[in-house]
Amino acid sequence: MQKTIRSQALIYRKFGDPLKVLQLETVEVPAEPGSGECLVEWLASPINPLDINRIQGNYAVRAELPVIGGSEGVGRVVKAGSGSRFKSGDHVTIFSANTPIWTEFGVVDDDELVKLDNRIPLDLAATLMINPPTAWIMLKKYVNLQKGDYIIQNSANSGVGRSVIEMCKALGYKSINIVRNRQNIEALKTDLWRIGADHVFTEEEFKGTSRQFLKSINVRPKLALNGVGGKSALQISSVLERGGTCVTYGGMSKKAHEFTTSALVFNDICVRGVAVGMWARQEEHLDEWNLCVDEVQKLAVAGKITAIPMEKVVLADHKTAIQKSLEGRSIKQLFVINSKASASHI
Amino acid sequence: MQKTIRSQALIYRKFGDPLKVLQLETVEVPAEPGSGECLVEWLASPINPLDINRIQGNYAVRAELPVIGGSEGVGRVVKAGSGSRFKSGDHVTIFSANTPIWTEFGVVDDDELVKLDNRIPLDLAATLMINPPTAWIMLKKYVNLQKGDYIIQNSANSGVGRSVIEMCKALGYKSINIVRNRQNIEALKTDLWRIGADHVFTEEEFKGTSRQFLKSINVRPKLALNGVGGKSALQISSVLERGGTCVTYGGMSKKAHEFTTSALVFNDICVRGVAVGMWARQEEHLDEWNLCVDEVQKLAVAGKITAIPMEKVVLADHKTAIQKSLEGRSIKQLFVINSKASASHI
């Protein structure tokens, strides 16, 4: 009889309200990984909007029930099966939406695992595969930026936005950052300056000052990064230099992205979009994706990109964490899964 | 003393309301062109929106007053100066906004003249340098279309739209054409089918039927051509195939151009813009521009592109013609300038 270990896991047996269908249960996990597999102890995993959508059954591809939640995270290899390219103690993450992560232990196929540098702090490692690669691809693959060149972005305090700011700082590009006005706007600005933003404006401030500001820096941004849409896309794309590029990665405003005739026709801008998951899975991007994962890790090890602010919670407190995620007003929630094993590191 | 010939010309001595400032006057034109110049007898010239804007003083670059109107047209070389690359009888057009055209005779520098095939009908020759090249560039320079491939466009009954339809027909591409609903919509559809449209829909019809229609043709358009903006841009760009391109050449709705997150991020479309005048004047496009002018002329000679419907008027009736152009409800107005010389040809 196969030996198993008991593992606490957040599991759902039907699609619906995550507060109702998600349950903390004990599952049995094989103690011995097979050939080309690893027994992984999961350490930390964020609650992403994708996770909520999947549990609600709103995601394009529905998994076969029952499902253990989670789509991004960091784990440690406990035991590597025969022929595995990993070894015990390796930190790993995944880049696939089909691997159960909200569980203390799981047996995972090598093909789904990505080796992470063990020196990367666990909260950053748990959120390394979506936001920083999105920033890296947008900064590296559309425009040939040189040190000192300017980029402009909206949604500058989002996960991607913060990665963009840190990466610009690390790569020598200058970032112009637009955020929505809010209470404590000065604290937010200070926070973004602290992580390396060169300029921070609210939408209203930039509307009033953009002409004067662009005159003062004497150049135009070559690249605009748009996670918002609506008039905000128009705002950042309208100040691009001739022939500049606007890359869209999200539509937080839930409005269509707007671009002026003047920007498109007379300023000859190019408008593109990217979804990092789809991009990375395209055969022709394989080498670039590996380079991206490598460079992102080097920046993480060097402390040049850091984890976004997150609230740490244990699996048992999932209802509170999901509630906060659904309300969308709190900072991102990070499950610390194997708290005994990793609390001191996170 | 230099010999001169008397020429009737539409001239303005101050910027303002074209109905007031534009005057038919007699000017003296040198009878002998200098070295590298031609004496040109102008035959026909349309009233373009650009002409109205220039007279009103609304155009970006203001000419030095007094100015003879016109920006596009066809003429015949009466006498070529020494060293000119033209000869008497050559049909010519210009591609520059600074050459006086609304005059019976003018002396023009060789550098501003473009040789036209004399077999091209004069009404088409008079309007050959903006709309057909815009269509050609959009169809040829952004996507590698093969025979049988589909394009979709809005503003399909505009000058550019009609060129697109005819050129698609000539090049073997299939065109899906969207127009705004109007009285006599069936007559308009019949007219567009007559010049080669494969499919014609009103915006409302396409909204209701696009899914079913696209299923019926079993492919998606590779290219969307947008002269309107607003939700119309969204409509035609949303049905593109993955990685397709939307090229904007105008913004008739005076609204910003809208694109969905889904089209940009998940369908990976590319959004571009083009202004044929600026495109043609870029050093790196010189060879392609010459090829474009050549191919457009061949299509015109072969009868594969035709003149848009226009009302022919003489210079003396300029007030009526300008009035109709300002109101924008009539068909385009075409000045037949040297009516004695050319009436039988137009």
Side-chain angles (χ1 to χ4, degrees):
Chain A
M1 215 177 76
Q2 197 182 25
K3 275 182 22 177
T4 60
I5 45 179
R6 294 166 65 83
S7 174
Q8 296 273 90
L10 277 177
I11 198 166
Y12 54 102
R13 299 179 180 281
K14 58 181 180 181
F15 299 106
D17 178 356
L19 290 172
K20 291 183 183 150
V21 299
L22 204 60
Q23 303 289 343
L24 190 61
E25 297 187 9
T26 301
V27 296
E28 301 280 331
V29 175
E32 294 295 331
S35 167
E37 290 179 342
C38 291
L39 174 64
V40 175
E41 165 190 49
W42 290 105
L43 304 175
S45 170
I47 303 179
N48 287 332
L50 167 64
D51 300 314
I52 303 285
N53 291 339
R54 287 177 71 206
I55 299 167
Q56 290 168 334
N58 294 335
Y59 190 62
V61 186
R62 281 182 170 213
E64 235 176 277
L65 295 167
V67 177
I68 292 172
S71 55
E72 193 186 15
V74 60
R76 183 189 291 139
V77 173
V78 177
K79 191 176 278 187
S82 67
S84 167
R85 57 196 171 84
F86 298 95
K87 62 179 197 298
S88 169
D90 278 353
H91 284 190
V92 287
T93 185
I94 56 148
F95 190 67
S96 142
N98 300 317
T99 307
I101 302 187
W102 293 349
T103 173
E104 290 175 298
F105 296 94
V107 169
V108 190
D109 198 292
D110 263 27
D111 290 346
E112 298 191 25
L113 292 172
V114 177
K115 169 89 184 78
L116 285 183
D117 193 302
N118 282 35
R119 291 170 293 180
I120 299 170
L122 291 179
D123 51 352
L124 177 57
T127 53
L128 200 70
M129 294 302 275
I130 299 175
N131 293 345
T134 300
W136 189 89
I137 291 166
M138 293 197 295
L139 291 171
K140 288 285 197 174
K141 292 293 126 202
Y142 295 93
V143 167
N144 185 14
L145 292 173
Q146 305 294 319
K147 284 191 181 187
D149 281 344
Y150 279 80
I151 71 102
I152 184 167
Q153 68 167 339
N154 55 28
S155 194
N157 61 315
S158 68
V160 171
R162 298 174 72 98
S163 286
V164 165
I165 291 171
E166 293 188 316
M167 225 169 267
C168 281
K169 187 75 177 174
L171 299 171
Y173 314 145
K174 303 279 185 191
S175 64
I176 305 164
N177 299 281
I178 315 288
V179 293
R180 278 181 303 179
N181 200 10
R182 66 196 68 205
Q183 285 197 314
N184 302 322
I185 180 69
E186 288 308 319
L188 175 61
K189 285 187 180 185
T190 303
D191 188 31
L192 298 185
W193 283 323
R194 183 185 58 78
I195 64 169
D198 292 287
H199 306 278
V200 187
F201 299 95
T202 65
E203 290 175 349
E204 296 72 22
E205 284 169 351
F206 195 68
K207 198 172 178 182
T209 193
S210 65
R211 190 175 296 202
Q212 203 177 341
F213 165 70
L214 291 167
K215 215 168 159 180
S216 78
I217 60 171
N218 209 25
V219 290
R220 293 266 177 157
K222 286 191 158 84
L223 182 66
L225 306 178
N226 168 41
V228 179
K231 292 256 175 290
S232 180
L234 188 150
Q235 183 173 51
I236 61 170
S237 61
S238 292
V239 300
L240 283 169
E241 73 162 25
R242 189 169 160 67
T245 295
C246 179
V247 185
T248 293
Y249 62 91
M252 210 177 59
S253 71
K254 302 206 189 290
K255 290 180 182 153
H257 306 265
E258 296 188 20
F259 303 93
T260 63
T261 302
S262 171
L264 285 171
V265 175
F266 299 111
N267 207 34
D268 194 27
I269 70 164
C270 178
V271 175
R272 302 296 306 271
V274 70
V276 66
M278 284 169 56
W279 191 92
R281 282 184 197 93
Q282 285 170 275
E283 188 66 29
E284 70 266 31
H285 294 149
L286 186 64
D287 289 347
E288 283 179 306
W289 173 246
N290 289 332
L291 179 68
C292 168
V293 170
D294 200 46
E295 294 209 358
V296 162
Q297 289 203 61
K298 281 182 189 156
L299 290 170
V301 170
K304 291 186 174 174
I305 56 176
T306 59
I308 59 170
M310 288 183 287
E311 183 173 357
K312 282 136 196 137
V313 286
V314 294
L315 290 186
D317 290 339
H318 62 95
K319 279 200 200 303
T320 314
I322 293 283
Q323 181 68 51
K324 287 182 178 175
S325 301
L326 285 168
E327 287 169 357
R329 279 175 303 186
S330 303
I331 59 173
K332 193 187 271 282
Q333 304 290 304
L334 180 74
F335 282 128
V336 177
I337 301 174
N338 246 305
S339 55
K340 270 179 253 163
S342 59
S344 62
H345 299 279
I346 295 190
Chain B
M1 217 177 78
Q2 199 182 19
K3 276 191 6 186
T4 59
I5 46 177
R6 293 165 66 84
S7 175
Q8 296 274 89
L10 277 179
I11 197 166
Y12 54 103
R13 298 177 180 282
K14 58 181 181 183
F15 299 108
D17 178 357
L19 290 173
K20 291 183 184 150
V21 300
L22 204 60
Q23 303 289 342
L24 188 62
E25 296 187 11
T26 301
V27 297
E28 301 279 331
V29 175
E32 294 294 331
S35 168
E37 291 179 341
C38 290
L39 174 64
V40 176
E41 167 191 44
W42 291 105
L43 304 175
S45 171
I47 303 179
N48 286 331
L50 167 64
D51 300 313
I52 304 284
N53 290 338
R54 288 177 73 206
I55 300 168
Q56 290 167 331
N58 293 336
Y59 190 62
V61 186
R62 282 183 169 211
E64 236 175 276
L65 295 167
V67 177
I68 291 171
S71 56
E72 191 185 18
V74 60
R76 181 188 292 138
V77 173
V78 177
K79 193 175 277 186
S82 66
S84 167
R85 55 195 173 86
F86 298 94
K87 63 179 195 301
S88 171
D90 279 354
H91 284 189
V92 288
T93 185
I94 56 150
F95 190 67
S96 139
N98 300 315
T99 307
I101 301 186
W102 294 349
T103 173
E104 290 175 296
F105 296 94
V107 169
V108 188
D109 199 291
D110 262 27
D111 291 347
E112 297 190 24
L113 292 172
V114 177
K115 171 84 184 78
L116 285 184
D117 192 302
N118 282 35
R119 291 170 293 180
I120 299 169
L122 291 180
D123 52 352
L124 178 56
T127 53
L128 200 71
M129 294 303 274
I130 298 175
N131 292 345
T134 300
W136 189 89
I137 291 166
M138 293 196 297
L139 290 172
K140 288 286 198 174
K141 293 292 128 200
Y142 294 93
V143 168
N144 184 16
L145 292 174
Q146 306 294 320
K147 284 187 183 192
D149 282 344
Y150 279 80
I151 71 104
I152 186 168
Q153 66 167 341
N154 55 27
S155 194
N157 62 316
S158 68
V160 170
R162 297 174 71 98
S163 287
V164 165
I165 290 171
E166 294 188 315
M167 226 169 266
C168 281
K169 188 76 178 171
L171 299 171
Y173 314 145
K174 302 280 186 193
S175 64
I176 305 163
N177 299 281
I178 315 288
V179 292
R180 278 180 303 180
N181 200 8
R182 64 196 68 207
Q183 285 198 312
N184 302 321
I185 179 69
E186 289 309 319
L188 175 62
K189 285 187 178 183
T190 303
D191 189 31
L192 298 184
W193 283 322
R194 184 187 56 80
I195 64 169
D198 292 287
H199 306 278
V200 187
F201 299 96
T202 66
E203 291 177 347
E204 295 71 24
E205 284 169 352
F206 195 69
K207 198 171 178 182
T209 194
S210 65
R211 189 175 296 202
Q212 203 176 340
F213 166 71
L214 291 167
K215 216 168 161 183
S216 78
I217 60 171
N218 208 24
V219 290
R220 293 267 177 157
K222 286 191 156 87
L223 181 67
L225 306 178
N226 167 42
V228 178
K231 292 258 177 290
S232 180
L234 187 149
Q235 183 174 50
I236 60 170
S237 61
S238 293
V239 300
L240 282 169
E241 74 163 24
R242 189 168 160 68
T245 295
C246 179
V247 185
T248 293
Y249 62 91
M252 210 176 60
S253 71
K254 301 205 188 294
K255 291 180 183 154
H257 305 265
E258 296 188 20
F259 303 93
T260 63
T261 302
S262 170
L264 285 170
V265 174
F266 299 111
N267 208 31
D268 193 27
I269 70 165
C270 178
V271 175
R272 302 295 306 271
V274 70
V276 66
M278 284 169 57
W279 190 93
R281 283 185 195 91
Q282 285 170 274
E283 188 67 28
E284 70 265 32
H285 295 148
L286 186 63
D287 289 345
E288 283 179 305
W289 173 245
N290 289 332
L291 179 68
C292 169
V293 171
D294 199 44
E295 294 210 358
V296 162
Q297 289 202 61
K298 281 182 191 157
L299 291 169
V301 170
K304 292 185 172 173
I305 55 176
T306 59
I308 60 171
M310 289 184 286
E311 183 173 357
K312 282 133 196 142
V313 288
V314 294
L315 291 185
D317 290 338
H318 61 95
K319 279 200 201 302
T320 314
I322 293 283
Q323 181 68 51
K324 287 180 177 173
S325 301
L326 286 168
E327 285 168 359
R329 279 176 302 184
S330 303
I331 60 173
K332 194 188 270 283
Q333 304 291 303
L334 180 74
F335 283 128
V336 176
I337 301 175
N338 246 304
S339 55
K340 269 177 256 166
S342 60
S344 61
H345 300 278
I346 297 189

